[in-house]
Amino acid sequence: MQDILSRLGLDVSKGPVSGVYAGRWIASPSGEVTDSVNPTTGKVLGRITAGGRDDYEACVTAAEEAFLRWRALPAPKRGEYVRRCGDALRAKKADLGALVTLEMGKIRAEGEGEVQEMIDIADFAVGLSRQLYGKTMHSERPGHRMYEQWHPLGPIGIISAFNFPVAVWSWNAFIAAVCGDTMIWKPSHDTPLCALAVQRIVNEVMEPDGFGGVFNTIVAPPDPVGEAMLADKRLPLISATGSTRMGRRVGEVVGRRLGRALLELGGNNALLVMDDADLDLALSAVLFGAVGTAGQRCTTTRRVLLHHSIADAFTERLVKAYAQVRVGDPLAAGTLMGPLINPRALAAMNDAVAAVKAHGGKILCGGTTEAPAGLEGGFWVQPTIAQVPSDFPLLKEETFAPLLYLVKVDDLDHAIALQNDVPQGLSSAVFTTRLQSAERFLSCAGSDCGIANVNIGTSGAEIGGAFGGEKETGGGREAGSDSWKAYMRRQTCTINFTNDLPLAQGISFG
Ligand code: NAD
């Protein structure tokens, strides 16, 4: 473990490391010393000195100062820096992936997969740096030309959740960087070392050319630093990933100052299995979607809506498949599920299991908190399947844990209605071999989510698409497609190359 940390430049053996980079490392930040805990063992991985208000001011100053120079670079040149950041990540993929596993608890393949996602989005952003296209329009006035162009926004704030401790930053940061923005990252308090390792990796590329202040990081609690970011008019955009509770607060505070908020919040994703589905496919998709990352993905499959005619047979196979899931040390080969992030997550899972029982639901497997041998200090639950009636109240809530609800449905219409009858609207999937059912699910009368899949599970989105969800998921879009527009300001320009001054709408004035 110490080897991994020291190869990433994090020497935690001599005492707390600085949690603030404001164009340079702040040697003694003014916040409290905080522990990074390994959820597999419950032991401290390292200690970090968090940032306070004055350190936050240093971050803003660094980001503002760097912005003036960064925005002046042509976008393809900014892309070149991002390309080199991607290469620096390639060189550190195994170590950074292992740190994600150590600090967050996802299995090694998923930890490395997350770093691969950073590399992929860097590649995407490099191409994008030559494609920040604006439209041209035909003016209604003779001798006039109209077009729109896109300019950088300024320094922006990125607030991220624990469950994707590095990839979510890159979705925002690499796109924002080619757009010409600089940024301040407040990572989750649960995963500070991952953030500090990423900051060190990109520093290798940015610092030698005096561009350290493009990417800044402050490990700090929501209050006072997170709150300061929300209220800060110097940050025209706050991109926030996390719970709906947090997003509501971000929306309120940023909205009050008429800033922009890009919100990526909680999901409550359903997977529909119809009577004509390929059940082998559906089974694999449910298993990965519900158990992967120990149910701690925003796109985790939380509800499986089963056509009544295949429900019993499918359930039996699913319970058997769950029995094969190896729960244990996420760094060990063969492990499919690691721990939950912290004791609060464990308590939330236990409460939900108790509620299933109290409301007449049935726990078909799991539901317990036994730890793998030798790992008793960690935060362990077993992957759990609960059969519940369609009016079970927690079906409408996101419990961020490997707790899967099975509900029987009459037909596709019933399934779509149940699926949409929740406050969240992130990801959704139908398994069917009938064209009519697939198209109905994708129609405007079908899924109301930001992501709708056919014969693919709810989790594991590709970076090329715009990622995000509707309703209480917040409405933001990140990563591919035209999501870059959120990080820029649009300007409509009209040029008159005549000696007249005709007014629009044919208005004659004087
Ligand atoms: P969380 O809401 O507890 O914390 C997320 C981040 O918000 C942290 O950095 C936290 O410090 C910060 N924060 C909280 N209150 C704040 C405030 N008042 N001001 C400023 N910052 C504040 O979420 P979590 O437990 O880390 O992550 C799990 C949640 O994130 C789940 O609900 C999951 O669905 C969601 N999530 C959504 C997406 C998506 O793209 N839709 C992706 C990943 C995670």
Side-chain angles (χ1 to χ4, degrees), residues 160-163 186 227 241-243 246 264-266 298 398 467:
S160 61
F162 79 86
N163 64 329
K186 196 204 83 57
E227 287 283 337
T241 304
S243 59
M246 175 279 288
E264 298 283 353
L265 312 175
C298 51
E398 178 193 51
F467 182 89

Side-chain angles (χ1 to χ4, degrees), residues 325-406:
V325 172
R326 196 182 300 168
V327 179
D329 181 352
L331 276 177
T335 300
L336 278 189
M337 196 185 104
L340 291 179
I341 187 68
N342 56 32
R344 273 196 323 283
L346 198 68
M349 167 99 175
N350 286 338
D351 289 351
V353 167
V356 168
K357 293 175 184 161
H359 282 84
K362 242 204 257 161
I363 300 293
L364 302 180
C365 64
T368 59
T369 55
E370 76 231 35
L375 298 174
E376 288 75 12
F379 314 123
W380 296 97
V381 293
Q382 297 299 311
T384 301
I385 303 177
Q387 205 164 41
V388 295
S390 60
D391 61 354
F392 175 53
L394 289 192
L395 276 172
K396 296 191 195 255
E397 287 180 27
E398 178 193 51
T399 301
F400 217 54
L403 170 58
L404 179 66
Y405 299 125
L406 303 185

Side-chain angles (χ1 to χ4, degrees), residues 53-68:
R53 270 307 298 256
D54 47 341
D55 303 305
Y56 170 67
E57 281 304 316
C59 287
V60 177
T61 303
E64 283 188 314
E65 188 274 326
F67 177 62
L68 300 181

Side-chain angles (χ1 to χ4, degrees), residues 106-381:
K106 61 177 70 174
I107 62 171
R108 196 160 199 157
E110 290 183 293
E112 288 195 12
E114 201 178 323
V115 183
Q116 186 58 46
E117 202 169 324
M118 302 176 83
I119 295 166
D120 292 346
I121 200 86
D123 288 348
F124 181 90
V126 177
L128 182 67
S129 70
R130 293 181 183 272
Q131 300 176 75
L132 301 169
Y133 299 135
K135 291 180 174 171
T136 63
M137 300 91 188
H138 287 268
S139 169
E140 67 187 50
R141 290 171 280 188
H144 284 59
R145 186 165 75 79
M146 264 179 96
Y147 74 103
E148 64 185 21
Q149 58 179 352
W150 295 84
H151 289 311
L153 275 180
I156 65 164
I158 300 172
I159 295 172
S160 61
F162 79 86
N163 64 329
F164 277 89
V166 293
V168 163
W169 172 81
S170 67
W171 297 352
N172 286 280
F174 288 156
I175 303 285
V178 299
C179 290
D181 300 334
T182 57
M183 57 217 79
I184 300 164
W185 179 18
K186 196 204 83 57
S188 161
H189 222 54
D190 284 316
T191 51
L193 290 177
C194 287
L196 299 178
V198 168
Q199 181 69 58
R200 281 185 154 76
I201 291 170
V202 295
N203 284 353
E204 290 168 21
V205 175
M206 307 302 284
E207 278 187 336
D209 289 357
F211 283 124
V214 171
F215 302 115
N216 304 280
T217 297
I218 181 160
V219 172
D223 204 11
V225 170
E227 287 283 337
M229 289 173 80
L230 308 189
D232 194 338
K233 286 189 175 175
R234 294 170 294 180
L235 306 184
L237 170 71
I238 299 291
S239 175
T241 304
S243 59
T244 293
R245 188 169 50 87
M246 175 279 288
R248 204 165 267 132
R249 174 76 186 152
V250 175
E252 274 169 23
V253 180
V254 177
R256 208 174 298 138
R257 64 171 167 97
L258 301 184
R260 278 194 213 173
L262 195 169
L263 301 176
E264 298 283 353
L265 312 175
N268 186 358
N269 317 294
L271 187 151
L272 286 51
V273 188
M274 292 298 101
D275 50 340
D276 55 306
D278 178 332
L279 296 184
D280 293 339
L281 272 193
L283 194 78
S284 303
V286 172
L287 197 62
F288 175 68
V291 174
T293 327
Q296 298 170 110
R297 284 184 179 223
C298 51
T299 52
T300 289
T301 306
R302 309 217 172 270
R303 302 173 291 145
V304 173
L305 310 181
L306 291 165
H307 191 279
H308 63 90
S309 67
I310 50 95
D312 291 345
F314 187 84
T315 302
E316 196 178 316
R317 286 184 64 188
L318 191 63
V319 171
K320 277 194 189 135
Y322 262 57
Q324 309 299 315
V325 172
R326 196 182 300 168
V327 179
D329 181 352
L331 276 177
T335 300
L336 278 189
M337 196 185 104
L340 291 179
I341 187 68
N342 56 32
R344 273 196 323 283
L346 198 68
M349 167 99 175
N350 286 338
D351 289 351
V353 167
V356 168
K357 293 175 184 161
H359 282 84
K362 242 204 257 161
I363 300 293
L364 302 180
C365 64
T368 59
T369 55
E370 76 231 35
L375 298 174
E376 288 75 12
F379 314 123
W380 296 97
V381 293

Side-chain angles (χ1 to χ4, degrees), residues 139 141-146 494-500:
S139 169
R141 290 171 280 188
H144 284 59
R145 186 165 75 79
M146 264 179 96
T494 310
I495 301 159
N496 175 5
F497 53 97
T498 73
N499 295 322
D500 294 328

